[in-house]
Each structure stands twice: as C-alpha cells, then as structure tokens.
Amino acid sequence: MSKHKENKQQDVEEGSKEFESGSKTLEARGELESPQGKTEFRKEAERTSEKTEKKASFQVGFDYSMHITMVVLGKLLARAIAAYNNIFSLDEKEKGQIHENLGKKYLKRGEYQKAAEAFEAGIAAGRGSPQIFYLLGKTYYNLDESDKAIECFEKTLILLPKSKDALYQLGNAYLRAKKYDQCLATLKEVSEMSPDNSEIFYKMGVAQDKKGDLEQSIASFRKAAELNPAEPKYFQHLGFALQSAGDAAEAGKCFKKVLELESTEDLD
C-alpha cells in the first residue's frame, strides 16, 4: 500500500473512532433514542464526516504538490548535473578557447582584473596563441602593470615577429615603465613599418623629451603635427618643447593653434 493510501486510511479510521466515541457518550447519557438525541447524533456524524473529508483532502493536495515539486527539482538537478559533466568533459584546448573568449568580453567592458584572470586561465589551459598574449598585455597595460605588459608583448613578438600592433604596444609599455631607450628603439622600428602613423612620432617625442633631448623631441612632435594637423595635443607638446628650447615666438604659434582647434571641437 502507498504512503498516501495509508495516510488516507488512517484519517478515516481516526474519524470513525471519534464518531464512535461521540455516539457512546450519547448512549451512556440515555439520549440516543430520544428525538433530540437522534438529532444530536446526526449532527455529530456530519461533523465527523466533514472533518475527516477535509483532512483527507488536505493530505491529497499536499501529496500532489510535493510530487510536482520533486519532479521539477529533479529535472533541474538533472540539468545541472548534465551541464557540470559537459563542462568538465571539455579538453584543455576547448577550455583555453572559452577562457580567452571570456577575457575578451571582460576587456571590452573595461573589467581588466577579470579579463587578466580569464586570459591567464586560458594560457594555463594550453592556449598559447599570439593573440591571447597580446590581449593579456593590453589588459596589464590598462591595469598599470607595465612590466607584465612588456613580458606579454615580447611573448607575442616571439610567436608573431614583426607584428606592428605588438611592437607599438610594447613601445607604449616601455614608455610607461620609463625605459626610454627601449621605447625609442621599438617605436623607431614601428615608424619604418607605418611612416604615416602620427601617434608613433608623438610617443617618440614624449620619450625624447623625458630624456632631455629637446632637438629630437621637437622634430618628432613637428612630424606628428604634420601628419595629423587636427590633433591639439601634438601642437601643445611641440609648443612646450619649443618654449623649453627658448623659441618663444614659435611656441606662441603652437599654443594659438591649440586654442583654435579646441574652439572648433567645442562648436562640433
């Protein structure tokens, strides 16, 4: 017999016992045979029947609800277990790809610490592509961890020599790390590959200025301004360099150009 049937049977038996007890009380008091006693007997029977029915009905409803809950939870649990087994059935290469894709999403959202953790996990899983080291380098650069960024960009270039993007980012990392000689050597190589990139010459000018090489920094800032005359910061840095060199007149022209460009930007 099922648990539900046993419970229902127990309720009926308890109701019968209660009814029997009530009828014996009436009989003992000699009221069962009187009209009033018969009426009381009938009411007692109805009350007992109603109570038993409600109790049994509640038990049925409760059992059904529990059954449905267990079925749903069972299905969810089965799905969770299947998903868990699915994840851990992946090989290392697939795990590495998943971590790399996750890192890209975090990097795009600016969540650099999470991106670094995801890329590191991808590398640990055997994902050693040039791209993942490059992306990890950019992530560490954004976290202001220049030495780690340099290491990543250098690994990228071992795997993908002469990559313009990796060389440029390596030059940036050297500049932030105040390794000016390495920065200039790297950016010079990139400038030969991309002679029309104004940012390369601008970064070279910054490194040269930090080294105290005014003449070279002026030449680099001037080259950047020639390549992109719409960028105010090129003229601003050129003006400061000229001012340091004692050429106040040329510096004044540069600062005037900065004001003109910034006024145009405000109108836009």
Side-chain angles (χ1 to χ4, degrees):
M1 183 182 293
S2 68
K3 186 69 176 175
H4 165 63
K5 289 184 178 179
E6 288 179 2
N7 290 339
K8 189 173 181 181
Q9 182 65 33
Q10 185 178 354
D11 292 337
V12 173
E13 289 175 359
E14 287 177 0
S16 299
K17 288 178 182 178
E18 188 176 346
F19 172 70
E20 186 178 348
S21 174
S23 63
K24 284 182 179 179
T25 301
L26 289 172
E27 186 176 4
R29 284 158 46 185
E31 298 175 357
L32 189 59
E33 295 300 325
S34 65
Q36 186 177 357
K38 289 179 180 179
T39 301
E40 186 68 26
F41 176 78
R42 186 170 58 255
K43 287 180 179 180
E44 182 67 24
E46 289 173 355
R47 281 196 300 271
T48 302
S49 176
E50 184 178 354
K51 188 187 293 184
T52 302
E53 188 175 327
K54 283 182 178 180
K55 193 171 182 181
S57 176
F58 170 79
Q59 185 64 43
V60 171
F62 178 78
D63 288 348
Y64 179 75
S65 297
M66 283 299 294
H67 172 72
I68 293 299
T69 301
M70 292 306 294
V71 168
V72 172
L73 288 177
K75 287 181 178 178
L76 291 175
L77 182 60
R79 285 184 189 176
I81 291 171
Y84 180 88
N85 290 334
N86 213 17
I87 289 171
F88 287 91
S89 67
L90 296 173
D91 60 32
E92 291 302 305
K93 184 178 179 181
E94 290 169 323
K95 288 181 186 177
Q97 181 65 65
I98 289 171
H99 285 303
E100 182 178 336
N101 291 340
L102 187 60
K104 288 177 183 177
K105 292 184 184 297
Y106 284 132
L107 180 59
K108 190 175 181 180
R109 294 205 302 245
E111 298 182 53
Y112 301 123
Q113 189 57 52
K114 290 182 178 179
E117 291 170 2
F119 290 135
E120 289 284 12
I123 293 168
R127 184 73 177 171
S129 66
Q131 184 183 43
I132 196 169
F133 283 113
Y134 175 76
L135 293 172
L136 181 57
K138 289 186 70 175
T139 302
Y140 280 132
Y141 182 85
N142 283 302
L143 288 169
D144 203 17
E145 296 190 45
S146 301
D147 289 338
K148 288 185 177 180
I150 288 168
E151 183 181 349
C152 289
F153 293 132
E154 287 177 342
K155 286 181 178 178
T156 304
L157 288 164
I158 290 171
L159 297 168
L160 195 64
K162 301 298 181 181
S163 167
K164 288 189 292 186
D165 290 335
L167 277 169
Y168 175 70
Q169 294 297 342
L170 178 59
N172 281 338
Y174 279 138
L175 179 59
R176 181 171 285 183
K178 300 180 180 180
K179 297 180 179 181
Y180 303 123
D181 289 332
Q182 294 98 315
C183 168
L184 288 167
T186 304
L187 291 179
K188 185 176 184 301
E189 186 178 352
V190 184
S191 70
E192 292 169 356
M193 300 164 73
S194 300
D196 297 328
N197 189 325
S198 59
E199 275 293 299
I200 296 171
F201 292 97
Y202 166 70
K203 295 291 177 66
M204 289 176 68
V206 172
Q208 288 156 347
D209 182 57
K210 293 292 185 182
K211 286 187 66 179
D213 191 345
L214 280 177
E215 187 177 347
Q216 288 298 319
S217 68
I218 290 171
S220 294
F221 289 137
R222 200 183 296 280
K223 179 68 173 179
E226 288 172 0
L227 289 170
N228 185 4
E231 177 52 62
K233 70 180 180 182
Y234 299 158
F235 290 97
Q236 185 177 42
H237 280 79
L238 176 57
F240 287 138
L242 288 166
Q243 189 175 42
S244 297
D247 193 343
E250 286 299 310
K253 292 178 183 178
C254 289
F255 294 137
K256 184 179 179 181
K257 183 67 173 178
V258 172
L259 290 173
E260 289 174 0
L261 290 171
E262 289 182 343
S263 297
T264 304
E265 285 181 357
D266 291 340
L267 292 173
D268 292 342

